[in-house]
Each structure stands twice: as C-alpha cells, then as structure tokens.
Amino acid sequence: MPSSVESAFEIAVFFIEKASSENEYIQPQKLHGLLFLSQAYFSVAFQGRKLMPAVFVADERGPLEPNLYVALSSVCSNIDLNSTLPDDVINFLNEIWRRFGQMETERVIRKSKENSAYTTALKRGRRSEIL
C-alpha cells in the first residue's frame, strides 16, 4: 500500500512551518516524536496505511527517523520540496499538532516512548526498526 505523501521531509517541513507560524522553535527530538506519533496515529486512523515512507528506529532518546536526523542536522537545512500535501493529510497533521504541538518536548518524547512498538524495538537493541 503506498504512503499518502512522497517523503518524510514533507511532514517534517509541515511541523517546522507550523511551529514557526506560532513563533515557536521545534526541537529535533520533539520533531521526531511528532513524526512518529503522526505515522502511528495515521496507521490506526486509516486502516494500516502509511502516512510517509519512513523507517523509525528506537533510540534511547526516543523514536527517530535516521535519514531525516542526519539530513536536518547537517547541510540539508534548506530543503526545496515541489509538492503540496493532500487536504486529508493537512487536516490530519493539524489534528496531531493540535493534540501534541503545544506539549513540552519531554512530554512528546515520553508519549512516543509509551508506544509498545517502540519499547519492543528498544528491547531488541539500539537503532532497531520500530515495526
């Protein structure tokens, strides 16, 4: 089943821009927590469908998408995306933001770590894929 968007960068940029529009800086850990929660909640809301083509791994700091982690922490800070998110995805992400966006970073990470898929992956070892 195809994902709803072309890349995880689209979802990351959505949250970065959403935070910026509210004069907020989004910490990298919080961003990864929001991405993970979005993927998990989307799968539940849409019968197993993936929001984005992303692989999350368990890190002791919480879930993270390793490709985004490397890209956003190095030279790819100016990402040029030539796509528009579908309306249903925007509506869904706005709900994720409404529910989790105002939470402190630590609370978002704690919420992400409470997920059973995360805890199972972490038991398998650091950087194990969250299934």
Side-chain angles (χ1 to χ4, degrees), residues 34 41 94-103 111:
L34 289 170
Y41 278 69
N94 278 322
E95 282 302 308
I96 291 291
W97 182 258
R98 185 189 60 72
R99 186 168 184 181
F100 301 109
Q102 304 308 311
M103 287 183 181
K111 180 78 175 158

Side-chain angles (χ1 to χ4, degrees), residues 4-89:
S4 293
V5 300
E6 292 183 19
S7 77
F9 284 96
E10 293 171 281
I11 307 304
V13 168
F14 175 88
F15 284 126
I16 291 167
E17 289 177 350
K18 191 76 165 170
S20 180
S21 75
E22 296 180 13
N23 295 320
E24 183 182 327
Y25 167 74
I26 189 165
Q27 295 179 349
Q29 280 184 282
K30 182 175 181 177
L31 177 62
H32 284 273
L34 289 170
L35 292 168
F36 176 73
L37 290 170
S38 295
Q39 186 84 311
Y41 278 69
F42 193 87
S43 180
V44 170
F46 296 96
Q47 294 77 41
R49 203 165 109 210
K50 284 183 100 172
L51 172 61
M52 61 192 128
V55 173
F56 290 89
V57 297
D59 187 82
E60 49 282 329
R61 294 169 291 177
L64 67 89
E65 207 295 332
N67 299 305
L68 273 172
Y69 180 80
V70 171
L72 294 176
S73 64
S74 63
V75 293
C76 295
S77 59
N78 293 322
I79 301 167
D80 182 24
L81 298 173
N82 294 323
S83 63
T84 303
L85 295 176
D87 288 340
D88 63 332
V89 170

